[in-house]
């Protein structure tokens, strides 16, 4: 397998991991949401820092039964960059659609960074961070 073929296979595997997260959100399944996270994964979102897979799972479980109930997401991968053979960074756009919305407003659009690591031949999420794509400077 050439280096380009290897990266293509790795990109496909990484996109599959992300799709699993997106699908778990749409199913409101906190366990499935963190299934491909490392044990010591972290998530940083505006105003919060979760420092383990279990903390992420608990917060998603609370969200899915609370303010995120019935929500779905829109997601677009902008870039996948390999740091080495076993580490990659993905940049994506994401937005949350709440029940009854056909389109999410631009002010909820976020830019996200995903850090993935290959462990025992499998790509896993090690860190996630997002921030607003649009900042009101006025």
């Amino acid at each position: 397998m050439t280096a380009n073929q290897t990266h293509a296979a790795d990109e496909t595997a990484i996109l599959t991991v992300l799709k699993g997260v997106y699908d778990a959100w749409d199913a409101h399944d906190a366990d499935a949401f963190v299934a491909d996270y490392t044990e010591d994964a972290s998530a940083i979102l505006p105003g919060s820092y979760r420092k383990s897979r279990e903390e992420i799972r608990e917060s998603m479980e609370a969200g899915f039964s609370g303010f995120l109930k019935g929500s779905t997401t829109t997601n677009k991968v902008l870039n996948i960059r390999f740091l080495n053979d076993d580490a990659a960074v993905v940049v994506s756009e994401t937005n949350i659609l709440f029940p009854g919305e056909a389109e999410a407003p631009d002010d909820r659009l976020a830019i996200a960074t995903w850090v993935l690591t290959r462990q025992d031949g499998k790509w896993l999420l090690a860190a996630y961070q997002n921030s607003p794509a649009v900042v009101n400077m006025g």
Side-chain angles (χ1 to χ4, degrees):
M1 200 179 271
T2 68
N4 285 343
Q5 289 170 321
T6 300
H7 276 312
D10 288 335
E11 283 186 16
T12 298
I14 287 167
L15 292 172
T16 299
V17 168
L18 297 181
K19 183 178 182 327
V21 172
Y22 304 147
D23 290 348
W25 181 301
D26 293 347
H28 303 106
D29 184 339
D31 292 325
F33 187 87
V34 297
D36 289 325
Y37 277 71
T38 62
E39 189 106 4
D40 62 349
S42 62
I44 300 171
L45 297 97
S48 71
Y49 168 50
R50 295 165 187 119
K51 54 187 175 291
S52 71
R53 178 174 58 202
E54 182 56 21
E55 281 188 23
I56 297 165
R57 190 200 66 72
E58 288 172 359
S59 68
M60 294 309 297
E61 184 174 62
F64 290 150
S65 63
F67 78 101
L68 296 174
K69 189 172 189 167
S71 67
T72 58
T73 61
T74 62
N75 301 283
K76 179 181 175 186
V77 171
L78 302 176
N79 182 270
I80 299 175
R81 182 169 47 103
F82 291 91
L83 304 178
N84 58 44
D85 289 343
D86 296 318
V89 173
V90 176
V91 175
S92 67
E93 288 181 344
T94 189
N95 210 330
I96 300 172
L97 288 150
F98 289 101
E101 291 183 327
E103 202 172 299
D106 287 343
D107 65 351
R108 275 202 315 255
L109 183 66
I111 302 294
T113 302
W114 309 77
V115 178
L116 293 97
T117 181
R118 186 186 348 237
Q119 294 181 359
D120 299 321
K122 181 178 179 179
W123 284 100
L124 298 172
L125 291 162
Y128 174 82
Q129 183 275 331
N130 82 31
S131 59
V134 179
V135 177
N136 184 354
M137 300 299 277

